[in-house]
Amino acid sequence: MRVHKLTFAALAVAAGLSLTACQNDDLDGGTAANKPSSAPPAATGATGGATASGAPTAGGKGTTAGTGSTGSTGSTGSTGSTDGGKGGKCRTDDLTITAADRTIDGDATRTVVVELKNRSGHDCSLSGYAGVDLKTNAGSLSAQRSGEPVVAGVVKPGKSTFFGISYPSNDTGGTGVRITGLVVTPPDETKSVTLQWPGAGSLPAADGSSPVKIGPMGSAGQGGQ
């Protein structure tokens, strides 16, 4: 009986040791499987903010570096300037427009000269034919172009260019067509100015065609055509 008791005791001890070893192995294995890997070393030289890859570092505010320019420092593009304000077309607002009677005594055709003075602070180009309408008691009467060739011209600040309006005298003895005003639209413009008519007070009754003709810019001077 003593021998059997010793044998059972030895077997119990051996079984206990084996069970402990298995439990330790399982514990170590589970720990190794579940234990997170050590954190990668922090990038050297970073003191917070963004890393070179753009990810926020510990203590930084998550600002991404190098995500694009906030504005070019080069050219901002054209603003529509015409070479420093030079060389653009003369607009109506650039001009002071006046008209005067320049009929030479003895001429069968009467003449009104229109002056366009550049009041802007820069050169501007003015060429071609203006739009001219006479306001009359019978309605608006559009002048016809004379057909003279157009010459390109540049008007300097404070300088003027001129064109003439020619029309027949009313020698019929009748009242004819009474003129009440003059409307001038510079070339390549849509804005007009209305002036007092400085010439004779009436035109002979028209036969269906306009008796009023105009020349191009530069075709007249202060002395007439």
Side-chain angles (χ1 to χ4, degrees), residues 18-124:
S18 176
L19 180 60
T20 301
C22 290
Q23 289 176 345
N24 288 338
D25 289 342
D26 292 340
L27 180 60
D28 291 340
T31 302
N34 298 323
K35 183 178 179 181
S37 60
S38 58
T44 58
T47 58
T51 65
S53 64
T57 60
K61 297 183 181 297
T63 304
T64 302
T67 56
S69 172
T70 57
S72 172
T73 58
S75 173
T76 58
S78 173
T79 57
S81 173
T82 55
D83 190 20
K86 296 183 178 181
K89 293 183 179 296
C90 296
R91 315 316 305 184
T92 302
D93 291 339
D94 295 331
L95 303 169
T96 298
I97 303 175
T98 55
D101 185 3
R102 291 291 182 262
T103 301
I104 298 176
D105 292 342
D107 283 356
T109 301
R110 303 182 66 87
T111 301
V112 165
V113 171
V114 178
E115 177 182 0
L116 300 94
K117 183 176 183 179
N118 181 3
R119 65 183 181 187
S120 73
H122 54 80
D123 295 356
C124 63

Side-chain angles (χ1 to χ4, degrees), residues 141 177 203-211:
L141 176 65
V177 178
L203 298 170
D207 58 2
S209 61
S210 174

Side-chain angles (χ1 to χ4, degrees), residues 90-99 114-117 119 130-135 140 163 165 180-187 189-198 217:
C90 296
R91 315 316 305 184
T92 302
D93 291 339
D94 295 331
L95 303 169
T96 298
I97 303 175
T98 55
V114 178
E115 177 182 0
L116 300 94
K117 183 176 183 179
R119 65 183 181 187
V132 171
D133 295 286
L134 299 186
K135 298 171 71 174
S140 180
F163 72 89
I165 302 173
T180 60
L182 170 64
V183 181
V184 177
T185 308
E189 260 286 28
T190 57
K191 185 176 182 179
S192 304
V193 295
T194 300
L195 309 172
Q196 290 186 344
W197 174 249
M217 293 294 123

